[in-house]
Amino acid sequence: MLHDIFAYLLVAAVTCLVAATMKPEGALRQSLWFLIGFWMIAMAAQFALGWNYLSISSVNPWYWDRFRGWSENPNQLAIYCAVFTPLSLHMALTAKRFGRLVAVLSCIATFVVGRLTKSDTFLISMSLSIPLLLALRLRSWLTSPEHRRSLRFAAATLVMVAMVPLSLSLLPYAAATANDVEGLAAGMMKDRGGEGTKATANLRLSLWQDALHAGLESGSLGLGPGPHLEKPTGITDKGVALPVEAHSTILDVFTQAGLPGVIVIFSLLAGTLAVLLRARLDALSVLIFALAVFSISHFILRHPTVWFAVTLGLILGFDRRSWAHARTKG
């Protein structure tokens, strides 16, 4: 309980400081470049640890065959990768020359690190984010006035015209290779979709059922900060059952803050995504979408980087909308 209270106070302080002090085209953008620079240095150091070019006695960068760097577990590192992959892409789309090259390298390296964690949630979030990003880029190229006389507009128009007949022609091939695609997807997951993946899924489903039951028993008002579930495996500490969490943001919020907390979190993520979509900040829209996917099977609210990403989206989204509105009136 105390851990959660201090964690929530920390993320609240970080969020308020960022919102109060960061200007979109000044301190905020400079901070983003510093953040990406330090992140690339951190990735290089963790790679060096993982492949024995550097050694720290207290750090084991591998959790069996899953890369975790200096994080406590691979899923923590995967959350950072889910944030920094689209964030680096956003900087690549808005930077020029050398800055764009650095941001692209950060995006690619972060995606590789995310895959090394063998996080199924990271794989799913990125697999869903790529089609969304392509759709948003096509929308931007088709509807933005500055692209009307460019090759991007022509290419996007050709893609839209050819999409329906191309999809229909590929249907027989997709049906014939469905089993191969399923096998490929299973092979990309940890334990290649075997017993490890099944055991994790069964454990999550059991915890989710318990969390839903606990939340309903509280009258949908919540039980306060901290974990409130018993371990299904019966693991105890000195004869006392250790409380655990549901490993789902919505259900953990439901057990802690009840239905009002769920409504607030859902409204925050949905509202931030709507602002970014209207501002046509495609990579940041993908960032919020990836966090939403990640929140389904992980509790992400204690991570300051998550709140930094949400605050960043709101600041830049409202600033871009205000700028576009002023340009339209002018």
Side-chain angles (χ1 to χ4, degrees), residues 57-125:
S57 59
S58 59
V59 175
N60 181 9
W62 294 95
Y63 181 79
W64 299 98
D65 62 338
R66 299 179 64 187
F67 187 66
R68 65 178 178 183
W70 53 51
S71 300
E72 184 179 2
N73 60 68
N75 291 327
Q76 289 182 350
L77 182 58
I79 292 176
Y80 281 95
C81 293
V83 171
F84 279 99
T85 299
L87 182 59
S88 300
L89 180 61
H90 166 73
M91 298 303 289
L93 293 174
T94 56
K96 296 179 180 179
R97 298 177 182 177
F98 180 72
R100 177 170 295 181
L101 176 61
V102 171
V104 169
L105 290 176
S106 174
C107 181
I108 296 173
T110 305
F111 182 83
V112 171
V113 172
R115 286 295 298 124
L116 288 174
T117 66
K118 296 189 176 181
S119 168
D120 295 340
T121 310
F122 178 80
L123 176 62
I124 293 171
S125 65

Side-chain angles (χ1 to χ4, degrees), residues 277-296:
L277 289 173
R278 291 175 184 173
R280 299 181 183 276
L281 293 171
D282 299 337
L284 294 181
S285 300
V286 169
L287 169 56
I288 300 301
F289 175 77
L291 285 178
V293 174
F294 227 97
S295 70
I296 295 174

Side-chain angles (χ1 to χ4, degrees), residues 300-320:
I300 64 174
L301 298 186
R302 283 192 295 260
H303 292 271
T305 184
V306 171
W307 289 98
F308 177 82
V310 173
T311 309
L312 172 69
L314 289 173
I315 293 174
L316 294 181
F318 280 114
D319 179 73
R320 176 68 67 87

Side-chain angles (χ1 to χ4, degrees), residues 216-230:
L216 292 174
E217 281 189 336
S218 71
S220 297
L221 296 177
L223 299 169
H228 301 289
L229 306 179
E230 294 184 3

